């Protein structure tokens, strides 16, 4: 009797968790064809415990705002990454996080792209919901940029290829999926790298699927400081161009190997974006480019990529290129070795100026400070 009662209690608890974790909401969405039901496997809590060795601390791959990610092995031997959502703050269960979680499942179940991380399934009967992804072994782009070593140098060729892969994934999200998907949190720490250092866009908790007729959507502003489109921040109007802006920031990171925002205590907050744009304005772009990139990459390619980044960062979203344009231009730059100046119209003279200033004084280093609208940057400082 006792055993039967215990088993019944266990089943009831799992049902309670399933409901609380948004199981019914997910079923509703998936059955109304917003996702691809067949692709999403529902794992049991036992399978998850076994896979992660009961959420062993040694298995932790990383921690973020949404929860903890564990490395796991499924019964069939496949290696996976399991994200355990952080749902309970104190004693309160966070409904918003459930929404984000279900959102990620629905969005990722519609996507099949080689540069987007694959969601294999989820588990809703555990105390907190869990997401199961393919395991991506080489960490994040953020870490790769910062922890470069001789073993895996981040060459210009790799940087350009990674930029193209991210651009292609975003172009796909914006256009090829049945309804456009805006990621809303593009940043180097959300770009994972696989065994061949191919980019995989991840973290779709805050992304939005937007019906075609809804070209402008008013939303609660989401994103990361330093990458967020200032126009979206002001207006709350979400468009595809917000992802273009954040992508522009990642391009600058790839060019300079610097963090977008560095706010160390006792120092003023520094914005890499303003510094970068000022450097371009003053024809001193090569002072801010990572010396390794300067050494390794053809200068014309670097310059046209920098010009593209500048266009992505235009304060007026309408003037930014689409991700389709960005992806195509980057492919073209790679294929032509930067000899695409004739396609750049007005910017041709700007490129000429930059090449001229670089050629006449390649090792010029600025001194003093430059002032932008709001921030003063000591030059020659490493961000
Ligand atoms: N599929 C995966 N394969 C391997 N490692 C992963 C995978 N997904 C995430 N990670 C690791 O887990 C860390 C945390 O990832 P996650 O995307 O959950 O952060 P997050 O909680 O979304 O952070 P935030 O929302 O604050 O940006 C990543 O930095 C990465 O190191």
């Amino acid at each position: 009797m006792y055993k039967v009662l215990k088993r019944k209690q266990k089943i009831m608890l799992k049902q309670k968790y399933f409901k609380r974790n948004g199981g019914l909401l997910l079923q509703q969405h998936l059955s109304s064809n917003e996702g691809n039901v067949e692709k999403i496997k529902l794992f049991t809590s036992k399978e998850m415990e076994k896979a992660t060795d009961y959420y062993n601390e040694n298995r932790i791959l990383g921690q973020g705002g949404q929860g903890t990610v564990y490395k796991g092995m499924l019964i069939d031997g496949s290696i996976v990454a399991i994200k355990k959502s952080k749902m309970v703050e104190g004693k309160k269960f966070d409904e918003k996080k459930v929404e984000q979680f279900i959102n990620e499942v629905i969005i990722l179940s519609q996507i099949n792209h080689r540069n987007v991380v694959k969601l294999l399934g989820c588990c809703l009967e555990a105390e907190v919901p869990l997401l199961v992804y393919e395991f991506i072994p080489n960490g994040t782009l953020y870490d790769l940029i910062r922890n470069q070593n001789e073993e895996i140098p981040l060459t210009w060729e790799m940087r350009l290829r990674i930029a193209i892969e991210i651009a292609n994934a975003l172009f796909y999200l914006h256009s090829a999926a049945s309804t456009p998907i805006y990621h809303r949190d593009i940043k180097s720490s959300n770009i994972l790298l696989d065994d061949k250092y191919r980019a995989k866009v991840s973290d779709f908790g805050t992304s939005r699927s937007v019906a075609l007729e809804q070209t402008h959507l008013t939303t609660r502003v989401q994103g990361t400081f330093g990458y967020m489109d200032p126009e979206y921040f002001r207006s709350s109007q979400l468009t595809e161009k917000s992802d273009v802006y954040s992508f522009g920031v990642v391009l600058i990171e790839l060019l300079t190997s610097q963090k977008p925002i560095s706010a160390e205590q006792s120092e003023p907050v520094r914005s890499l974006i303003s510094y970068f744009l000022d450097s371009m304005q003053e024809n001193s772009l090569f002072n801010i480019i990572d010396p390794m990139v300067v050494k390794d990459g053809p200068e014309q390619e670097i310059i046209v990529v920098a010009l593209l980044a500048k266009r992505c960062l235009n304060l007026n979203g309408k003037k930014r290129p689409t991700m389709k344009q960005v992806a195509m231009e980057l492919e073209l730059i790679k294929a032509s070795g930067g000899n695409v100046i004739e396609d750049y119209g007005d910017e041709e003279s700007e490129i000429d100026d930059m090449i001229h200033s670089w050629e006449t004084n390649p090792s010029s280093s600025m001194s003093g400070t430059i002032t932008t609208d709001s921030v003063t940057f000591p030059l020659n400082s490493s961000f």
Side-chain angles (χ1 to χ4, degrees):
M1 271 293 278
Y2 175 77
K3 270 189 177 166
V4 171
L5 211 69
K6 265 281 182 236
R7 202 175 306 147
K8 215 169 167 187
Q9 266 178 350
K10 231 177 174 170
I11 292 171
M12 276 169 70
L13 194 64
K14 281 182 184 175
Q15 282 172 345
K16 181 185 145 195
Y17 288 152
F18 182 83
K19 243 164 115 180
R20 193 176 71 167
N21 291 337
L24 301 179
L25 191 69
L26 182 65
Q27 271 176 345
Q28 211 180 343
H29 275 289
L30 294 181
S31 59
S32 69
N33 240 347
E34 277 181 66
N36 190 341
V37 200
E38 294 97 70
K39 266 173 41 191
I40 295 299
K41 180 174 164 34
L42 281 181
F43 290 93
T44 65
S45 44
K46 253 236 147 49
E47 280 174 296
M48 296 291 90
E49 283 166 2
K50 275 196 182 148
T52 57
D53 189 18
Y54 295 87
Y55 306 105
N56 191 325
E57 272 188 19
N58 300 333
R59 298 287 189 91
I60 294 180
L61 289 167
Q63 234 149 358
Q66 270 183 292
T68 309
V69 182
Y70 296 83
K71 185 173 178 177
M73 185 159 86
L74 298 179
I75 301 167
D76 66 5
S78 53
I79 307 289
V80 290
I82 298 175
K83 188 193 271 186
K84 190 177 183 204
S85 313
K86 199 171 21 172
M87 292 290 170
V88 195
E89 296 283 359
K91 278 190 178 150
K92 210 169 150 272
F93 196 76
D94 193 337
E95 300 285 342
K96 249 189 228 117
K97 292 234 169 83
V98 175
E99 252 174 58
Q100 278 192 355
F101 165 81
I102 298 297
N103 184 58
E104 183 154 359
V105 178
I106 293 166
I107 300 262
L108 279 177
S109 69
Q110 304 168 54
I111 298 172
N112 183 11
H113 191 275
R114 63 178 180 282
N115 299 117
V116 175
V117 69
K118 270 193 189 47
L119 180 72
L120 304 175
C122 61
C123 171
L124 299 169
E125 57 167 44
E127 195 177 356
V128 293
L130 299 145
L131 290 168
V132 183
Y133 307 89
E134 61 174 328
F135 175 68
I136 314 290
N138 275 321
T140 67
L141 178 61
Y142 180 93
D143 290 333
L144 183 68
I145 291 176
R146 259 121 229 136
N147 309 322
Q148 288 179 60
N149 56 47
E150 275 162 24
E151 225 172 282
I152 348 151
L154 187 51
T155 60
W156 172 247
E157 201 190 329
M158 267 171 96
R159 290 176 204 243
L160 191 55
R161 179 180 47 74
I162 289 171
I164 291 173
E165 287 165 350
I166 305 168
N168 278 333
L170 288 175
F171 166 40
Y172 169 84
L173 293 174
H174 290 179
S175 57
S178 53
T179 47
I181 293 164
Y182 304 154
H183 187 283
R184 290 213 292 178
D185 201 12
I186 288 297
K187 54 182 175 181
S188 55
S189 58
N190 279 341
I191 310 297
L192 300 174
L193 298 157
D194 74 2
D195 52 342
K196 297 197 170 75
Y197 287 88
R198 279 178 305 223
K200 302 264 185 184
V201 176
S202 78
D203 202 358
F204 283 73
T206 55
S207 56
R208 277 284 170 276
S209 173
V210 183
L212 277 172
E213 63 276 12
Q214 270 179 287
T215 47
H216 291 72
L217 179 73
T218 308
T219 63
R220 191 161 47 90
V221 173
Q222 289 272 358
T224 301
F225 189 52
Y227 293 86
M228 198 193 283
D229 169 14
E231 195 176 55
Y232 169 51
F233 182 72
R234 265 197 316 274
S235 67
S236 309
Q237 294 272 304
L238 180 67
T239 73
E240 61 176 323
K241 298 298 181 69
S242 296
D243 282 348
V244 176
Y245 183 92
S246 310
F247 176 78
V249 181
V250 174
L251 267 188
I252 302 186
E253 276 184 277
L254 284 167
L255 286 164
T256 64
S257 304
Q258 313 284 356
K259 287 184 195 171
I261 293 286
S262 142
E264 268 155 41
Q265 276 175 352
S266 79
E267 280 180 33
V269 175
R270 295 162 176 172
S271 157
L272 175 65
I273 302 157
S274 321
Y275 191 25
F276 173 81
L277 294 175
D278 286 343
S279 299
M280 289 197 75
Q281 191 85 24
E282 294 166 4
N283 280 339
S284 54
L285 171 70
F286 282 89
N287 286 337
I288 192 174
I289 303 289
D290 181 347
M292 173 152 167
V293 170
V294 177
K295 213 170 95 189
D296 186 40
E299 71 194 52
Q300 243 179 21
E301 272 185 44
I302 298 170
I303 291 170
V304 284
V305 171
L307 283 167
L308 180 60
K310 185 180 157 192
R311 281 161 56 219
C312 292
L313 296 169
N314 197 307
L315 288 178
N316 181 349
K318 290 201 182 84
K319 292 190 178 159
R320 291 173 207 151
T322 60
M323 277 321 298
K324 180 181 178 180
Q325 282 169 307
V326 173
M328 283 169 62
E329 282 182 32
L330 285 170
E331 295 272 16
L332 203 64
I333 292 167
K334 189 173 169 224
S336 66
N339 291 320
V340 284
I341 292 181
E342 58 271 31
D343 297 333
Y344 277 76
D346 289 349
E347 279 166 357
E348 195 176 334
S349 60
E350 207 174 327
I351 296 174
D352 283 343
D353 281 354
M354 257 183 256
I355 292 176
H356 178 71
S357 92
W358 170 241
E359 279 170 355
T360 49
N361 194 7
S363 59
S364 71
S365 71
M366 294 186 287
S367 57
T369 60
I370 51 168
T371 312
T372 67
D373 289 348
S374 53
V375 203
T376 304
F377 305 102
L379 295 178
N380 293 336
S381 59
S382 57
F383 275 33

